[in-house]
Amino acid sequence: MENNSSTLQAMNILVVGASGYVGRHLVPKLLQQGHKVRVSARRVTELVALFDQQPVDICPMDLLQPTTVTEACRDIDIAFYLVHSMQAGDDFAERDRRAAHVFGREASRAGIKQIVYLGALAPEDTHSLHLRSRAETGEALREGGVPVTELRAPIIVGAGSVPFEAIRDMVNHLPGMLLPTAVKNKSAPIALDNLLFYLVGVMACREAYQQIYDVAGPDTISYLQQIEKYAAVTEQRFKPLPFFLISIAMVRFGMPLFSSAPKGVIKALLGGLKHDILADDKAIRTLLPQPLLSYEQAVEKALADEQSWPAPLTWFQGNMAFREGWRNAAFYGDCLVLSHESAMPAKPIWQVLSKIGGKQRFFFMNWVWAIREWIDFCVGGPGRDLGRDTANKFVVGERVDSWNILRVNEEKSVLLGFGMKGPGSGNLEFRLEPLPDGGTRITMLAYWHPAGFWGQLYWYSMMRPHTFLFWGMLRRISALAVKQHLRSSPD
C-alpha cells in the first residue's frame, strides 16, 4: 500500500510531547501536509521557542491534570502521543500509566478518532522497567476506548535521541572506553526520517487502527557496532573495549561524567542493553513501503540535518545557535537561572545594564572576571580583548569585551555569546520583567553546552562560584539603578 497521507483532508491534530526530539520533527511534516496542528507540553516556553515561526496552536498540558488535557483535546481529530516520564525519577512507570489513563479517557470524551502512540521494542521476557513501561503505556491508552495505533521502535538515529547522543558524546570526547559485554547484544536502529514516515503514514489509516507494529531499520547490529560505525562515519579515533568485569551499573554511574544527555533517561535505557531487541517489521513495511536508511546513512543524515535546522536566538535543547555550530558541543545543555526583584522600573535598570563591560566591567568582583580573562589570554583566547564598540548601548553584532552581542530587545532582554576558550559553548542572557507594583524582576540565565568530561567538570565545579558571582551582579545592578535614579531625580 502506498502512503497516501498527503492526499488526506486537512485535520486537526494534537501532538502530545511536541518538544521532544521526535515531536519537533513531526510537527513540520504535518504542517506541510496542510493539517492544523496543536502542540502541547508541560513547559510552554520551549514550545514557543521551537515553533515561534510556525502556524501552530500552543497549548499547555499536564497529563496528570485532567482539566488541561480536556482543553488540549477539544476539536481534535487525531492525537500523537510521544511522551514518557523517565526524567521524573524512579516512579516514572507509575506516572506514565496514570498519564496514559488520563489521556485515553479524555481523548475518548473529546471524540478523538485515533491515537498514534510511539512505544518501544522489547523482548517478552524483559526485566527492563523502561521497556515494560512503554508496553504498559500502550495498554493504558487503549483502555480509553479510542482506536490506538502503536509503533514499537528500537534505538532512533537522530539528533536528540538519547542513545544516539550518548554515543556521540562518548566517541567525540574519549579515546576509548571499557564497556560491559552487553554491548554485543543486537538491535535494528531506525533512522528518524524512516520513523517519521511511518508515524505520518498510519495517521487516519483505518487498516492501522488497534494495531501494534514493530518498526526497524535494515541493519541488525550490536550496540558495539553502532559505536564503531559512528566513529567511522565521523572519522573519530575511538576504541570500545568490551570487558566482562564492567557492569551496566558502572556505565550508568560513569556516563554523566562525559555525556550531558538526561541522566534519568540514560538510567532507564541502559536496562535494555541486557537483551537482543529484534523486530519483525514485515507488517509495517507491507503497509507503508519506503527505502530504509542504513545505520551509516542515518548517522550522516542526522549530523547534516541538524546543521540546517532553524536556529532562533531563543534557547532550547539542541539549538545550534547556542552550540555555535560546533558538533563537539553536546546536544543537551544546562541552564542556571537566577532572579532578583528591584523596586526600580525597567528603564534605569536597562541603562545600568547597558554599561556592562568596558570601563564599567561586570559590576561585582571584577578581579574574578580578570583572572578568567588572563587564563584565556594565556591559552591563546580573546580574554584580554577588552572594551566596547559602542559604549553604554547594546548593538547586535558588536562586542562586550570578549563577549558577542547576539540579540537585543530594548529594555527587555539581551543575549551575549561566550567568546573565550572553554570546554563547551556558553551564553549569558539578561531579562527585565515589569512587576505589578512598578518594580522589575531581573533574571540572569547562563546556558552551557558542555564538550565531554572537561565541559561537565567545568559546569559543575563552577556552579556555586557562578551562583554567588551572578547573585552579586544582579544585586549590584539593582543598587546602581537606584543610585542613578536618585541622582537624576529633582530635589
Side-chain angles (χ1 to χ4, degrees), residues 302-375:
L303 297 178
D305 284 353
E306 71 174 352
Q307 296 290 335
S308 61
W309 288 352
L313 288 173
T314 305
W315 189 81
F316 54 82
Q317 295 289 12
N319 187 349
M320 270 294 182
F322 287 74
R323 296 158 65 193
E324 300 176 353
W326 184 29
R327 74 178 186 183
N328 280 2
F331 181 96
Y332 289 99
D334 296 291
C335 180
L336 173 63
V337 183
L338 299 171
S339 292
H340 174 76
E341 293 188 1
S342 171
M344 289 291 97
K347 185 171 184 177
I349 295 173
W350 184 261
Q351 289 173 343
V352 172
L353 180 60
S354 297
K355 298 175 182 177
I356 192 172
K359 293 181 180 179
Q360 171 63 53
R361 304 298 287 133
F362 291 89
F363 306 110
F364 181 70
M365 295 182 70
N366 286 328
W367 60 272
V368 173
W369 293 91
I371 290 173
R372 178 65 178 90
E373 290 161 351
W374 275 109
I375 291 173

Side-chain angles (χ1 to χ4, degrees), residues 243-287:
F243 188 53
F244 72 98
L245 290 179
I246 300 297
S247 68
I248 291 176
M250 292 178 183
V251 177
R252 187 179 293 131
F253 175 79
M255 189 155 304
L257 298 177
F258 61 85
S259 176
S260 63
K263 299 176 184 61
V265 181
I266 288 178
K267 179 180 178 181
L269 292 176
L270 283 172
L273 277 179
K274 298 175 182 178
H275 312 276
D276 285 328
I277 300 181
L278 307 179
D280 181 0
D281 63 337
K282 292 178 183 176
I284 192 72
R285 285 193 288 112
T286 300
L287 180 69

Side-chain angles (χ1 to χ4, degrees), residues 51 58 66 89 110 156 178 182 208 264 291 320 342 381 417 429 443 475:
F51 303 114
I58 296 176
I156 301 166
L178 292 173
M320 270 294 182
S342 171
E429 183 175 8
T443 302
R475 290 194 297 269

Side-chain angles (χ1 to χ4, degrees), residues 37 51 65-66 87 166 180 184 197 211 213 277 281 313 318 331 360 367 370 383 397 458 462:
V37 180
F51 303 114
Q65 299 293 328
Q87 294 190 63
K184 295 182 179 179
F197 181 89
Q211 298 297 315
Y213 296 104
I277 300 181
D281 63 337
L313 288 173
F331 181 96
Q360 171 63 53
W367 60 272
Y458 179 84
M462 295 301 294

